[in-house]
Amino acid sequence: MLKSSAIVTAVLAATVSLSSCQMAQMGDTIQNGYVVDEQTLALAPVGSSREQVMLSLGSPSATATFDTEVFYYISQKRTRAVAFMKPSLQEQSILAVYFNKDGEVDRLANYKLEDGNVVDMLSKTTPTGGTEKTFLMRLLSGGVNPAQAAATALGQRRY
């Protein structure tokens, strides 16, 4: 009896360890944005026109038009272990194409994750200035009179 329970325990331990190995292999890599290709980048050398850059590299991820016009081509690589987990940023690349006043490429710069801040391309929320309290939070903080809230919900007026 003791020998068979030891075998069952060993089989269960092996199954759990193998399934955890399988879970580790289930991870996926998410590539967002423009992936810089050296051959394509060679089609837009310094001195190229804005139109030639648009034809060879496509539409930029973002633009800046303060002092000189700049096209930004942003690329990110994120990984996650399991489909329901939040992806973590592994690599980020920003190709900046700077134009002079004549609309020609003045210089190219390639920035990596180590060079600056993370650009959040996956955000689906808009940050707000404050928080909105739920009915229960207002009730517990004393901000809601239950009788008045019930009367308002029923469409009755209280004087």
Side-chain angles (χ1 to χ4, degrees):
M1 180 76 173
L2 184 62
K3 189 175 181 180
S4 65
S5 69
I7 293 173
V8 170
T9 304
V11 169
L12 285 175
T15 304
V16 168
S17 65
L18 288 176
S19 67
S20 65
C21 291
Q22 180 64 25
M23 294 269 301
Q25 293 177 359
M26 289 176 48
D28 57 349
T29 301
I30 304 164
Q31 184 74 41
N32 293 71
Y34 184 82
V35 179
V36 178
D37 182 349
E38 293 298 324
Q39 292 175 341
T40 307
L41 190 58
L43 296 175
V46 174
S48 302
S49 67
R50 185 179 293 112
E51 291 78 20
Q52 185 175 351
V53 171
M54 292 283 286
L55 286 173
S56 59
L57 299 178
S59 298
S61 305
T63 60
T65 56
F66 294 111
D67 294 331
T68 58
E69 188 172 10
V70 183
F71 285 180
Y72 296 105
Y73 295 91
I74 303 170
S75 169
Q76 291 182 336
K77 180 180 176 183
R78 296 175 183 261
T79 59
R80 61 181 169 199
V82 184
F84 59 83
M85 292 182 67
K86 182 177 180 179
S88 63
L89 184 62
Q90 299 300 315
E91 294 177 20
Q92 175 174 288
S93 173
I94 300 175
L95 171 65
V97 181
Y98 295 92
F99 294 97
N100 60 20
K101 293 181 182 186
D102 298 329
E104 297 173 343
V105 176
D106 187 37
R107 66 185 173 101
L108 301 169
N110 196 359
Y111 302 108
K112 297 292 181 185
L113 185 60
E114 301 82 28
D115 296 327
N117 296 331
V118 174
V119 179
D120 188 10
M121 293 176 59
L122 296 179
S123 178
K124 293 183 176 133
T125 59
T126 303
T128 59
T131 59
E132 185 176 319
K133 292 183 178 181
T134 64
F135 174 76
L136 187 58
M137 288 172 62
R138 286 186 283 168
L139 181 65
L140 294 175
S141 67
V144 172
N145 180 348
Q148 184 179 5
T152 304
L154 295 173
Q156 300 173 353
R157 289 183 135 182
R158 295 193 75 179
Y159 296 100

